[in-house]
Amino acid sequence: IVISQIALLKIEFFDLLKGKMTFMDCGEGSVWFRVGDPSDFTVSQEGVIYTQRNLSLVGKKKMEVVVYAQDVLSNHVDATLTQQVPEILFPWRNIVVMGEGSLSRVKRDWVIPPINVAENSRGHFPEDLVRIRSDRDKSRMLRYSVTGPGADQPPTGIFIIDPISGHLSVTKPLDREHIPNFHLRAHAVDLNGNQVENPIDIIINVIDQNDNVPDFLHSTFNGSVPEGSKPGSFVMTVTAVDKDDPKTANGMMRYKILTQNPQSPSSNMFTINNRTGDIITVAAGLDREKVTQYTLIIQATDMEGNPTFGLSNTATTVIRITDVNDNSPEFTTDTFFGEVHENRVNVIVANLSVTDKDQPHTSAWRAVYRIVAGDPTGRFSITTDPTSNEGLLTVVKPIDFELTRSFMLIVEAVNEVPLVRGIQSPRQSTATVSVRILDMNESPEFSPNPKSIKLEEGLPAGSLLSTFTAQDPDRFMRQTIRYSKIYDPANWLKIDPFNGQISTIAVLDRESHYIKNNLYNVTFMASDEGFPPASGTGTLQMYLLDINDNAPQVFPSEVEMCEKPDPNALNITASDPDLNPHTGPFVFELVSRPSEIRRNWTLIRVNGEVAQLRLRIGSLASGIYEVPITITDSGILPMSNTSVLRVKVCQCDHHGDCLEMGKINAVGLGTEAIIAILLCIITLLVLVLLFVMWMKRRDKERQAKQLLIDPEDDIRDNILKYDEEGGGEEDQDYDLSQLQQPDALESECVKVGIRRLDERPLHHDHQYPIRSTAPHPGDIEDFIYEGLKAADHDPTAPPYDSLLVFDYEGSGSTAGSLSSLHSCSSCGDQEYNYLSEWGPHFHKLADLYGGGDD
């Protein structure tokens, strides 16, 4: 750099495309700048140097530009600017060249300015950025390296350094939106790896380029604005984002409206703030009933909206026009007609229809109906159908045809919300409703209803009480009314069907359980002759006055007393269903007959309501005693009555409580009770006697049945049927050891035979012989003979030969044939006459078997 004697030139590099040059004038006066070769560079009068085109150092070491500066006091100054690869020295010593010679001096450490690298570079890679050098490389061989993200840390390999020359290069295009800057550290070591210089920090900034299109947050934006809004009303905001640097023109966007649809009533109903994206109205005339929504196409362009160099994008905006109450409901006709029968309520008379241009089913559309004239008594009301928005004219109070035959109503319709300011209700918001009343056959009406009368109880049957009549409201119909009774729980009254006179058919009793608070209600019905016939009901309330028609009774009716009472007094009172003054005070006295009543008891009056019954003697035997007591009330024409007080006398404990009340014997039982007890005893004895006789007869029949057996039931001459029949002895393989050792079987199976059960055994079972367990081929024959002999001498066996059934017969038995066996005496040789000598038990057998031929 060549510096004049009167000025000092200071150069600051901002990037590869622009530089700034400032002269610090030592004198006074203005400075003028110009560039020697304006084809590549230009300079402003403020000292800013601009490039005229894209510059590249590929294949070149440097690029020079000459800037001339001149003031009024000196000649021009030549300043040569050279664009070349910057050189960074380690900061412990810096060399500054001044004038035509070199001047070396030591400076303090200084901060290395960041290196700016444009993103998306299309140059030849690797591309040199800066040279790292230490001035100690003159005396020794050094090696350079860099560390940090982008070098030896992820993402690795973006920046490399020549270890010998120290040239730092970038290996591929950078993306500012991915990584905006890199922080590296440069190192210098000798060949032995010893650190020569302290590491220095190198910051590489990625310079932004306009490589991103503005992006809207939504493809379609939705907004709304009320109809009738004034110009300048805010509608909505649209927003787009640009990933480029917002501090540069690359990321500065501008908005504008491209199209509006529909273009009614104007093509420019809205405008947009080009910086903020706020959409506002600019024209009047928004009417939802004509245009329900607008569609706008919004464009966002970066480079501050430059259409030539900026990138653009579009989005759709839908603006819905919301409804306000700017239309009043209008009736579809001026006059509505309806009719209703008299005395009917909650009946729809007419449907009132309106039209409203506002949005359906909103508060600005829903109608509210009011009756403004023609109904001073409030007999009608109008409700709104939520679906059709019609007014339902309804009768809420009964109307009498005989009084009013028609109504002329004035009805008004409004919305739930008031009309917006400046809108007036039209004439069509009011209509007339003509209602005609239809006549009906009305029910006769009793008057008064209910009807109340007072009378004394005890009136005899046939007494006339009152006349209860009804009137027919139908004055224009002449009809006959008939009366009948529909509710009379005690059946005390009747009504004349023609004139309504009420009379009694039974005696009225105030003390009846049908009476509640001295009142008795009877319901009557009156019917006319119309078509269809109508009827009405009326209630007659009778208030019955009390008379002295009930005699008092002793209360309680039963009391208890100990055999030796202490004290020996009982308090009694009287009950009278009548009312004052026909009740107490009462007079109590004992009857004179029978004489033992007054001999055993005495009655003392305590007051007008209570008397005391005392025992005259010291004690009474346990039992029930009846004490007749006469009680007289104090009513007008007093009434007396003798009632019996039952006194239970019992044994008491030390507390005075009765013991074993169930054992108290009744004293003086009536004849009917004694007869009933005797009949029960006799019946029980007869039943016991009959049962004993039946048991004896049953025993005799059982004994006779055992001795007299029907020949058909005698099993001796019958074939015994067994449960199982085999295929013959030769077809079955039997175990002969069972015949040789039958005692090895179950105890119930070792018996020789099965005895007949024709008679009950008189002794214990006879003991049959038990065969020895030593087996030999001939032992079964001996065993059978011994069994036959034992059977003949068994006293419990029948006196005749029986077929002995053995438990098992095998095939191929080694025993001899049973046909060789015979009883010691056969039936033909047997004599049974000796049985008569054996005692009374054998007389029957002797008669059966020892008799003659008969």
Side-chain angles (χ1 to χ4, degrees), residues 89-297:
L89 294 177
F90 282 89
W92 72 280
R93 189 178 61 172
N94 298 285
I95 303 298
V96 179
V97 180
M98 302 182 63
E100 297 179 354
S102 296
L103 177 63
S104 298
R105 61 177 179 175
V106 179
K107 297 180 62 177
R108 294 178 300 172
D109 292 350
W110 47 273
V111 177
I112 304 300
I115 302 172
N116 297 324
V117 181
E119 66 172 336
N120 304 321
S121 174
R122 296 182 181 181
H124 298 281
F125 295 100
E127 181 179 351
D128 292 340
L129 300 179
V130 70
R131 181 187 178 191
I132 309 299
R133 190 179 69 82
S134 173
D135 59 354
R136 293 186 180 183
D137 59 356
K138 298 178 180 180
S139 60
R140 69 179 76 176
M141 292 293 293
L142 301 182
R143 293 292 182 267
Y144 302 97
S145 65
V146 291
T147 60
D152 62 341
Q153 299 178 18
T156 59
I158 296 179
F159 300 98
I160 59 176
I161 189 170
D162 189 319
I164 298 176
S165 64
H167 283 88
L168 179 65
S169 306
V170 59
T171 61
K172 57 184 176 180
L174 303 181
D175 186 1
R176 190 202 67 85
E177 288 72 37
H178 182 218
I179 301 177
N181 55 68
F182 296 87
H183 188 184
L184 306 178
R185 304 200 76 181
H187 307 269
V189 296
D190 58 15
L191 296 179
N192 296 325
N194 298 319
Q195 179 177 316
V196 176
E197 303 281 358
N198 292 328
I200 59 173
D201 293 331
I202 301 176
I203 298 177
I204 301 175
N205 290 330
V206 183
I207 305 304
D208 184 44
Q209 289 186 352
N210 190 19
D211 58 344
N212 289 279
V213 178
D215 187 16
F216 283 93
L217 297 182
H218 307 284
S219 60
T220 301
F221 292 84
N222 293 286
S224 63
V225 61
E227 62 175 332
S229 296
K230 296 179 180 180
S233 300
F234 174 79
V235 179
M236 60 185 298
T237 300
V238 296
T239 304
V241 294
D242 195 322
K243 295 181 180 179
D244 292 326
D245 190 356
K247 298 180 180 180
T248 65
N250 298 333
M252 297 179 181
M253 297 175 296
R254 297 295 183 263
Y255 301 93
K256 72 175 181 178
I257 298 175
L258 296 181
T259 61
Q260 169 191 307
N261 184 35
Q263 297 182 2
S264 173
S266 171
S267 60
N268 296 315
M269 297 296 295
F270 305 92
T271 186
I272 187 170
N273 187 312
N274 64 349
R275 293 178 179 270
T276 62
D278 293 342
I279 300 177
I280 60 176
T281 61
V282 294
L286 294 176
D287 190 352
R288 190 204 66 84
E289 286 72 37
K290 296 180 180 179
V291 179
T292 59
Q293 71 179 25
Y294 290 88
T295 301
L296 307 179
I297 303 300

Side-chain angles (χ1 to χ4, degrees), residues 3-72:
I3 302 176
S4 68
Q5 298 179 353
I6 59 173
L8 174 66
L9 177 64
K10 178 181 179 182
I11 299 176
E12 298 175 351
F13 282 99
F14 287 110
D15 53 36
L16 298 179
L17 300 181
K18 181 175 66 175
K20 183 178 180 182
M21 179 181 66
T22 303
F23 280 92
M24 300 177 64
D25 194 357
C26 299
E28 295 181 358
S30 59
V31 179
W32 177 77
F33 303 101
R34 68 183 177 86
V35 176
D37 185 5
S39 61
D40 293 331
F41 299 93
T42 184
V43 61
S44 67
Q45 294 305 311
E46 289 79 13
V48 180
I49 301 175
Y50 294 90
T51 59
Q52 297 286 80
R53 57 185 179 85
N54 292 334
L55 303 179
S56 177
L57 296 179
V58 178
K60 302 178 181 179
K61 293 185 178 180
K62 64 180 180 178
M63 183 175 290
E64 295 183 353
V65 58
V66 178
V67 179
Y68 298 92
Q70 183 179 5
D71 57 18
V72 295

Side-chain angles (χ1 to χ4, degrees), residues 554-569:
V554 66
F555 183 82
S557 60
E558 292 185 1
V559 294
E560 294 181 355
M561 178 179 286
C562 297
E563 291 180 346
K564 296 180 179 180
D566 184 21
N568 61 352

Side-chain angles (χ1 to χ4, degrees), residues 759 792 794-795 797-800 830-851:
E759 64 177 4
D792 291 337
D794 187 2
Y800 45 77
Q830 191 79 23
E831 292 291 340
Y832 295 99
N833 293 331
Y834 62 88
L835 294 176
S836 59
E837 301 176 358
W838 286 11
H841 294 290
F842 298 93
H843 288 171
K844 189 65 177 177
L845 293 176
D847 293 339
L848 292 174
Y849 295 95

Side-chain angles (χ1 to χ4, degrees), residues 526-541:
S527 304
D528 60 18
E529 297 176 339
F531 182 81
S535 61
T537 60
T539 301
L540 177 66
Q541 288 185 342

Side-chain angles (χ1 to χ4, degrees), residues 590 594-602 615-617:
L590 294 173
S595 58
E596 62 269 11
I597 297 299
R598 293 197 173 188
R599 184 169 58 250
N600 295 338
W601 307 92
T602 181
L615 186 63
R616 285 181 176 272
I617 59 179

Side-chain angles (χ1 to χ4, degrees), residues 564-788:
K564 296 180 179 180
D566 184 21
N568 61 352
L570 298 172
N571 290 334
I572 60 174
T573 184
S575 63
D576 193 335
D578 292 326
L579 301 177
N580 286 326
H582 305 300
T583 55
F586 300 99
V587 177
F588 302 87
E589 61 178 342
L590 294 173
V591 299
S592 57
R593 293 286 185 270
S595 58
E596 62 269 11
I597 297 299
R598 293 197 173 188
R599 184 169 58 250
N600 295 338
W601 307 92
T602 181
L603 195 61
I604 300 175
R605 182 177 183 274
V606 177
N607 52 42
E609 303 292 336
V610 179
Q612 203 171 66
L613 181 65
R614 289 180 174 271
L615 186 63
R616 285 181 176 272
I617 59 179
S619 62
L620 282 176
S622 297
I624 299 177
Y625 298 85
E626 295 181 350
V627 181
I629 300 176
T630 301
I631 305 175
T632 305
D633 60 21
S634 300
I636 301 173
L637 298 177
M639 295 190 68
S640 298
N641 179 48
T642 299
S643 55
V644 176
L645 175 65
R646 293 171 57 86
V647 181
K648 294 182 179 181
V649 180
C650 59
Q651 296 179 359
C652 298
D653 56 14
H654 63 282
H655 296 294
D657 298 328
C658 286
L659 299 174
E660 299 181 0
M661 289 299 296
K663 296 183 179 180
I664 297 179
N665 298 322
V667 177
L669 293 176
T671 305
E672 294 81 0
I674 297 176
I675 293 174
I677 294 174
L678 292 177
L679 288 176
C680 292
I681 295 174
I682 294 172
T683 302
L684 183 60
L685 292 176
V686 170
L687 291 176
V688 173
L689 181 60
L690 290 176
F691 180 74
V692 172
M693 295 175 63
W694 177 77
M695 291 296 294
K696 290 184 177 180
R697 183 175 179 181
R698 183 182 177 188
D699 290 341
K700 290 181 179 181
E701 290 178 352
R702 183 180 298 174
Q703 293 178 2
K705 185 176 181 180
Q706 292 176 353
L707 297 176
L708 298 176
I709 301 176
D710 190 274
E712 295 180 359
D713 297 332
D714 193 352
I715 64 173
R716 292 178 297 174
D717 297 331
N718 295 338
I719 298 176
L720 300 180
K721 181 180 179 180
Y722 294 89
D723 294 334
E724 180 181 358
E725 295 183 0
E729 294 182 352
E730 297 295 335
D731 296 338
Q732 302 185 26
D733 186 13
Y734 293 101
D735 186 6
L736 296 181
S737 63
Q738 298 296 326
L739 288 176
Q740 296 175 356
Q741 296 182 357
D743 52 346
L745 302 176
E746 296 289 336
S747 58
E748 63 270 15
C749 299
V750 299
K751 295 182 180 180
V752 176
I754 299 178
R755 295 185 296 103
R756 290 173 57 89
L757 301 177
D758 295 340
E759 64 177 4
R760 182 180 299 172
L762 302 178
H763 306 285
H764 296 291
D765 290 343
H766 186 67
Q767 297 294 329
Y768 286 84
I770 300 176
R771 186 174 60 87
S772 174
T773 58
H776 52 82
D779 61 352
I780 191 64
E781 182 177 358
D782 297 336
F783 178 78
I784 293 175
Y785 273 110
E786 291 177 2
L788 179 62

